PDB file of all heavy atoms in Angstrom:
ATOM      1  N   THR A   1     -92.447 -77.523  18.203  1.00 37.00           N
ATOM      2  CA  THR A   1     -92.604 -78.718  19.021  1.00 37.00           C
ATOM      3  C   THR A   1     -92.545 -78.307  20.469  1.00 37.00           C
ATOM      4  O   THR A   1     -92.201 -77.177  20.822  1.00 37.00           O
ATOM      5  CB  THR A   1     -91.485 -79.730  18.733  1.00 37.00           C
ATOM      6  OG1 THR A   1     -90.243 -79.158  19.179  1.00 37.00           O
ATOM      7  CG2 THR A   1     -91.382 -80.039  17.236  1.00 37.00           C
ATOM      8  N   SER A   2     -92.863 -79.247  21.376  1.00 33.00           N
ATOM      9  CA  SER A   2     -92.833 -78.924  22.802  1.00 33.00           C
ATOM     10  C   SER A   2     -91.436 -78.593  23.265  1.00 33.00           C
ATOM     11  O   SER A   2     -91.235 -77.911  24.253  1.00 33.00           O
ATOM     12  CB  SER A   2     -93.396 -80.118  23.598  1.00 33.00           C
ATOM     13  OG  SER A   2     -92.649 -81.284  23.306  1.00 33.00           O
ATOM     14  N   ALA A   3     -90.423 -79.044  22.530  1.00 34.00           N
ATOM     15  CA  ALA A   3     -89.052 -78.777  22.944  1.00 34.00           C
ATOM     16  C   ALA A   3     -88.595 -77.374  22.586  1.00 34.00           C
ATOM     17  O   ALA A   3     -87.765 -76.790  23.268  1.00 34.00           O
ATOM     18  CB  ALA A   3     -88.117 -79.809  22.303  1.00 34.00           C
ATOM     19  N   ASP A   4     -89.106 -76.789  21.493  1.00 36.00           N
ATOM     20  CA  ASP A   4     -88.601 -75.487  21.087  1.00 36.00           C
ATOM     21  C   ASP A   4     -89.645 -74.380  21.187  1.00 36.00           C
ATOM     22  O   ASP A   4     -89.367 -73.247  20.823  1.00 36.00           O
ATOM     23  CB  ASP A   4     -88.025 -75.556  19.674  1.00 36.00           C
ATOM     24  CG  ASP A   4     -89.054 -75.973  18.640  1.00 36.00           C
ATOM     25  OD1 ASP A   4     -90.266 -75.866  18.881  1.00 36.00           O
ATOM     26  OD2 ASP A   4     -88.595 -76.406  17.573  1.00 36.00           O
ATOM     27  N   SER A   5     -90.870 -74.682  21.622  1.00 34.00           N
ATOM     28  CA  SER A   5     -91.878 -73.643  21.807  1.00 34.00           C
ATOM     29  C   SER A   5     -91.878 -73.235  23.273  1.00 34.00           C
ATOM     30  O   SER A   5     -92.395 -73.935  24.124  1.00 34.00           O
ATOM     31  CB  SER A   5     -93.269 -74.170  21.414  1.00 34.00           C
ATOM     32  OG  SER A   5     -93.294 -74.528  20.058  1.00 34.00           O
ATOM     33  N   THR A   6     -91.271 -72.118  23.576  1.00 33.00           N
ATOM     34  CA  THR A   6     -91.164 -71.683  24.971  1.00 33.00           C
ATOM     35  C   THR A   6     -91.613 -70.249  25.100  1.00 33.00           C
ATOM     36  O   THR A   6     -91.474 -69.442  24.201  1.00 33.00           O
ATOM     37  CB  THR A   6     -89.710 -71.797  25.459  1.00 33.00           C
ATOM     38  OG1 THR A   6     -88.900 -70.985  24.624  1.00 33.00           O
ATOM     39  CG2 THR A   6     -89.216 -73.232  25.423  1.00 33.00           C
ATOM     40  N   THR A   7     -92.197 -69.946  26.229  1.00 33.00           N
ATOM     41  CA  THR A   7     -92.567 -68.583  26.593  1.00 33.00           C
ATOM     42  C   THR A   7     -92.159 -68.373  28.045  1.00 33.00           C
ATOM     43  O   THR A   7     -92.671 -69.036  28.929  1.00 33.00           O
ATOM     44  CB  THR A   7     -94.083 -68.367  26.443  1.00 33.00           C
ATOM     45  OG1 THR A   7     -94.455 -68.678  25.100  1.00 33.00           O
ATOM     46  CG2 THR A   7     -94.464 -66.950  26.769  1.00 33.00           C
ATOM     47  N   SER A   8     -91.206 -67.421  28.227  1.00 33.00           N
ATOM     48  CA  SER A   8     -90.698 -67.124  29.574  1.00 33.00           C
ATOM     49  C   SER A   8     -90.211 -68.378  30.259  1.00 33.00           C
ATOM     50  O   SER A   8     -90.443 -68.601  31.445  1.00 33.00           O
ATOM     51  CB  SER A   8     -91.795 -66.466  30.432  1.00 33.00           C
ATOM     52  OG  SER A   8     -92.254 -65.274  29.825  1.00 33.00           O
ATOM     53  N   GLY A   9     -89.556 -69.252  29.488  1.00 36.00           N
ATOM     54  CA  GLY A   9     -88.960 -70.445  30.066  1.00 36.00           C
ATOM     55  C   GLY A   9     -89.938 -71.555  30.314  1.00 36.00           C
ATOM     56  O   GLY A   9     -89.550 -72.591  30.815  1.00 36.00           O
ATOM     57  N   THR A  10     -91.218 -71.386  29.973  1.00 42.00           N
ATOM     58  CA  THR A  10     -92.214 -72.419  30.222  1.00 42.00           C
ATOM     59  C   THR A  10     -92.605 -73.076  28.918  1.00 42.00           C
ATOM     60  O   THR A  10     -92.943 -72.399  27.949  1.00 42.00           O
ATOM     61  CB  THR A  10     -93.474 -71.817  30.885  1.00 42.00           C
ATOM     62  OG1 THR A  10     -93.071 -71.150  32.056  1.00 42.00           O
ATOM     63  CG2 THR A  10     -94.479 -72.917  31.189  1.00 42.00           C
ATOM     64  N   SER A  11     -92.528 -74.384  28.870  1.00 47.00           N
ATOM     65  CA  SER A  11     -92.865 -75.096  27.650  1.00 47.00           C
ATOM     66  C   SER A  11     -94.356 -74.994  27.370  1.00 47.00           C
ATOM     67  O   SER A  11     -95.174 -75.099  28.284  1.00 47.00           O
ATOM     68  CB  SER A  11     -92.471 -76.574  27.766  1.00 47.00           C
ATOM     69  OG  SER A  11     -91.078 -76.699  27.897  1.00 47.00           O
ATOM     70  N   SER A  12     -94.680 -74.764  26.085  1.00 54.00           N
ATOM     71  CA  SER A  12     -96.070 -74.761  25.656  1.00 54.00           C
ATOM     72  C   SER A  12     -96.383 -76.106  25.029  1.00 54.00           C
ATOM     73  O   SER A  12     -95.537 -76.701  24.361  1.00 54.00           O
ATOM     74  CB  SER A  12     -96.326 -73.659  24.629  1.00 54.00           C
ATOM     75  OG  SER A  12     -96.051 -72.399  25.197  1.00 54.00           O
ATOM     76  N   PRO A  13     -97.597 -76.597  25.207  1.00 61.00           N
ATOM     77  CA  PRO A  13     -97.929 -77.887  24.596  1.00 61.00           C
ATOM     78  C   PRO A  13     -97.946 -77.768  23.079  1.00 61.00           C
ATOM     79  O   PRO A  13     -98.290 -76.727  22.522  1.00 61.00           O
ATOM     80  CB  PRO A  13     -99.329 -78.179  25.144  1.00 61.00           C
ATOM     81  CG  PRO A  13     -99.892 -76.837  25.491  1.00 61.00           C
ATOM     82  CD  PRO A  13     -98.722 -76.027  25.962  1.00 61.00           C
ATOM     83  N   ALA A  14     -97.526 -78.831  22.408  1.00 59.00           N
ATOM     84  CA  ALA A  14     -97.556 -78.841  20.946  1.00 59.00           C
ATOM     85  C   ALA A  14     -98.996 -78.858  20.468  1.00 59.00           C
ATOM     86  O   ALA A  14     -99.868 -79.423  21.126  1.00 59.00           O
ATOM     87  CB  ALA A  14     -96.828 -80.082  20.423  1.00 59.00           C
ATOM     88  N   PRO A  15     -99.276 -78.205  19.355  1.00 66.00           N
ATOM     89  CA  PRO A  15    -100.632 -78.267  18.818  1.00 66.00           C
ATOM     90  C   PRO A  15    -100.982 -79.703  18.437  1.00 66.00           C
ATOM     91  O   PRO A  15    -100.107 -80.506  18.114  1.00 66.00           O
ATOM     92  CB  PRO A  15    -100.568 -77.357  17.594  1.00 66.00           C
ATOM     93  CG  PRO A  15     -99.127 -77.298  17.218  1.00 66.00           C
ATOM     94  CD  PRO A  15     -98.368 -77.421  18.507  1.00 66.00           C
ATOM     95  N   PRO A  16    -102.245 -80.058  18.485  1.00 72.00           N
ATOM     96  CA  PRO A  16    -102.626 -81.438  18.202  1.00 72.00           C
ATOM     97  C   PRO A  16    -102.395 -81.795  16.739  1.00 72.00           C
ATOM     98  O   PRO A  16    -102.416 -80.936  15.853  1.00 72.00           O
ATOM     99  CB  PRO A  16    -104.121 -81.464  18.542  1.00 72.00           C
ATOM    100  CG  PRO A  16    -104.563 -80.049  18.361  1.00 72.00           C
ATOM    101  CD  PRO A  16    -103.392 -79.208  18.796  1.00 72.00           C
ATOM    102  N   VAL A  17    -102.164 -83.064  16.493  1.00 83.00           N
ATOM    103  CA  VAL A  17    -102.018 -83.580  15.139  1.00 83.00           C
ATOM    104  C   VAL A  17    -103.374 -84.111  14.703  1.00 83.00           C
ATOM    105  O   VAL A  17    -103.929 -85.014  15.326  1.00 83.00           O
ATOM    106  CB  VAL A  17    -100.954 -84.693  15.086  1.00 83.00           C
ATOM    107  CG1 VAL A  17    -100.897 -85.302  13.692  1.00 83.00           C
ATOM    108  CG2 VAL A  17     -99.603 -84.148  15.493  1.00 83.00           C
ATOM    109  N   ASP A  18    -103.928 -83.541  13.646  1.00 79.00           N
ATOM    110  CA  ASP A  18    -105.239 -83.950  13.145  1.00 79.00           C
ATOM    111  C   ASP A  18    -105.035 -84.835  11.929  1.00 79.00           C
ATOM    112  O   ASP A  18    -105.008 -84.369  10.796  1.00 79.00           O
ATOM    113  CB  ASP A  18    -106.083 -82.724  12.796  1.00 79.00           C
ATOM    114  CG  ASP A  18    -107.481 -83.102  12.316  1.00 79.00           C
ATOM    115  OD1 ASP A  18    -107.810 -84.304  12.374  1.00 79.00           O
ATOM    116  OD2 ASP A  18    -108.223 -82.206  11.882  1.00 79.00           O
ATOM    117  N   SER A  19    -104.887 -86.146  12.151  1.00 83.00           N
ATOM    118  CA  SER A  19    -104.623 -87.059  11.041  1.00 83.00           C
ATOM    119  C   SER A  19    -105.828 -87.195  10.123  1.00 83.00           C
ATOM    120  O   SER A  19    -105.684 -87.443   8.923  1.00 83.00           O
ATOM    121  CB  SER A  19    -104.210 -88.436  11.569  1.00 83.00           C
ATOM    122  OG  SER A  19    -105.245 -88.996  12.363  1.00 83.00           O
ATOM    123  N   THR A  20    -107.037 -87.026  10.655  1.00 88.00           N
ATOM    124  CA  THR A  20    -108.228 -87.205   9.819  1.00 88.00           C
ATOM    125  C   THR A  20    -108.303 -86.159   8.714  1.00 88.00           C
ATOM    126  O   THR A  20    -108.885 -86.408   7.654  1.00 88.00           O
ATOM    127  CB  THR A  20    -109.503 -87.142  10.665  1.00 88.00           C
ATOM    128  OG1 THR A  20    -109.578 -85.862  11.307  1.00 88.00           O
ATOM    129  CG2 THR A  20    -109.509 -88.234  11.719  1.00 88.00           C
ATOM    130  N   ALA A  21    -107.735 -84.975   8.952  1.00 88.00           N
ATOM    131  CA  ALA A  21    -107.792 -83.921   7.940  1.00 88.00           C
ATOM    132  C   ALA A  21    -106.997 -84.286   6.693  1.00 88.00           C
ATOM    133  O   ALA A  21    -107.287 -83.784   5.598  1.00 88.00           O
ATOM    134  CB  ALA A  21    -107.275 -82.604   8.514  1.00 88.00           C
ATOM    135  N   LEU A  22    -105.970 -85.144   6.837  1.00 93.00           N
ATOM    136  CA  LEU A  22    -105.208 -85.600   5.680  1.00 93.00           C
ATOM    137  C   LEU A  22    -105.789 -86.872   5.080  1.00 93.00           C
ATOM    138  O   LEU A  22    -105.492 -87.215   3.932  1.00 93.00           O
ATOM    139  CB  LEU A  22    -103.748 -85.857   6.073  1.00 93.00           C
ATOM    140  CG  LEU A  22    -102.855 -84.637   6.309  1.00 93.00           C
ATOM    141  CD1 LEU A  22    -101.446 -85.088   6.626  1.00 93.00           C
ATOM    142  CD2 LEU A  22    -102.852 -83.711   5.103  1.00 93.00           C
ATOM    143  N   GLU A  23    -106.603 -87.587   5.865  1.00 93.00           N
ATOM    144  CA  GLU A  23    -107.139 -88.877   5.403  1.00 93.00           C
ATOM    145  C   GLU A  23    -108.479 -88.678   4.702  1.00 93.00           C
ATOM    146  O   GLU A  23    -109.468 -89.343   5.008  1.00 93.00           O
ATOM    147  CB  GLU A  23    -107.255 -89.832   6.582  1.00 93.00           C
ATOM    148  CG  GLU A  23    -105.904 -90.210   7.168  1.00 93.00           C
ATOM    149  CD  GLU A  23    -106.003 -90.970   8.475  1.00 93.00           C
ATOM    150  OE1 GLU A  23    -107.141 -91.144   8.976  1.00 93.00           O
ATOM    151  OE2 GLU A  23    -104.962 -91.377   9.010  1.00 93.00           O
ATOM    152  N   ARG A  24    -108.518 -87.752   3.750  1.00 95.00           N
ATOM    153  CA  ARG A  24    -109.739 -87.471   3.005  1.00 95.00           C
ATOM    154  C   ARG A  24    -109.499 -87.506   1.505  1.00 95.00           C
ATOM    155  O   ARG A  24    -110.382 -87.192   0.722  1.00 95.00           O
ATOM    156  CB  ARG A  24    -110.278 -86.097   3.419  1.00 95.00           C
ATOM    157  CG  ARG A  24    -109.301 -84.964   3.207  1.00 95.00           C
ATOM    158  CD  ARG A  24    -109.737 -83.664   3.865  1.00 95.00           C
ATOM    159  NE  ARG A  24    -110.994 -83.154   3.370  1.00 95.00           N
ATOM    160  CZ  ARG A  24    -112.101 -83.028   4.117  1.00 95.00           C
ATOM    161  NH1 ARG A  24    -112.080 -83.384   5.402  1.00 95.00           N
ATOM    162  NH2 ARG A  24    -113.209 -82.552   3.614  1.00 95.00           N
ATOM    163  N   VAL A  25    -108.275 -87.880   1.112  1.00 98.00           N
ATOM    164  CA  VAL A  25    -107.886 -87.801  -0.293  1.00 98.00           C
ATOM    165  C   VAL A  25    -108.348 -89.049  -1.045  1.00 98.00           C
ATOM    166  O   VAL A  25    -108.208 -90.177  -0.570  1.00 98.00           O
ATOM    167  CB  VAL A  25    -106.364 -87.631  -0.426  1.00 98.00           C
ATOM    168  CG1 VAL A  25    -105.956 -87.580  -1.896  1.00 98.00           C
ATOM    169  CG2 VAL A  25    -105.912 -86.375   0.299  1.00 98.00           C
ATOM    170  N   VAL A  26    -108.900 -88.851  -2.219  1.00 98.00           N
ATOM    171  CA  VAL A  26    -109.266 -89.912  -3.151  1.00 98.00           C
ATOM    172  C   VAL A  26    -108.608 -89.577  -4.494  1.00 98.00           C
ATOM    173  O   VAL A  26    -108.773 -88.466  -4.989  1.00 98.00           O
ATOM    174  CB  VAL A  26    -110.800 -90.000  -3.325  1.00 98.00           C
ATOM    175  CG1 VAL A  26    -111.162 -91.082  -4.334  1.00 98.00           C
ATOM    176  CG2 VAL A  26    -111.502 -90.264  -1.993  1.00 98.00           C
ATOM    177  N   PRO A  27    -107.870 -90.537  -5.079  1.00 98.00           N
ATOM    178  CA  PRO A  27    -107.522 -91.871  -4.616  1.00 98.00           C
ATOM    179  C   PRO A  27    -106.596 -91.838  -3.389  1.00 98.00           C
ATOM    180  O   PRO A  27    -105.874 -90.861  -3.175  1.00 98.00           O
ATOM    181  CB  PRO A  27    -106.795 -92.488  -5.804  1.00 98.00           C
ATOM    182  CG  PRO A  27    -107.172 -91.674  -6.989  1.00 98.00           C
ATOM    183  CD  PRO A  27    -107.372 -90.291  -6.463  1.00 98.00           C
TER     184      PRO A  27
END
């Protein structure tokens, strides 16, 4: 997460959440 991903004391942005990749299941 943005809170625990650090490099040299600088926060890295969290990777994006791709909800569409999970919204493909049938049923």
Side-chain angles (χ1 to χ4, degrees):
T1 66
S2 57
D4 60 20
S5 298
T6 59
T7 303
S8 302
T10 304
S11 296
S12 299
V17 175
D18 182 6
S19 60
T20 60
L22 286 182
E23 294 170 356
R24 58 191 299 116
V25 179
V26 178

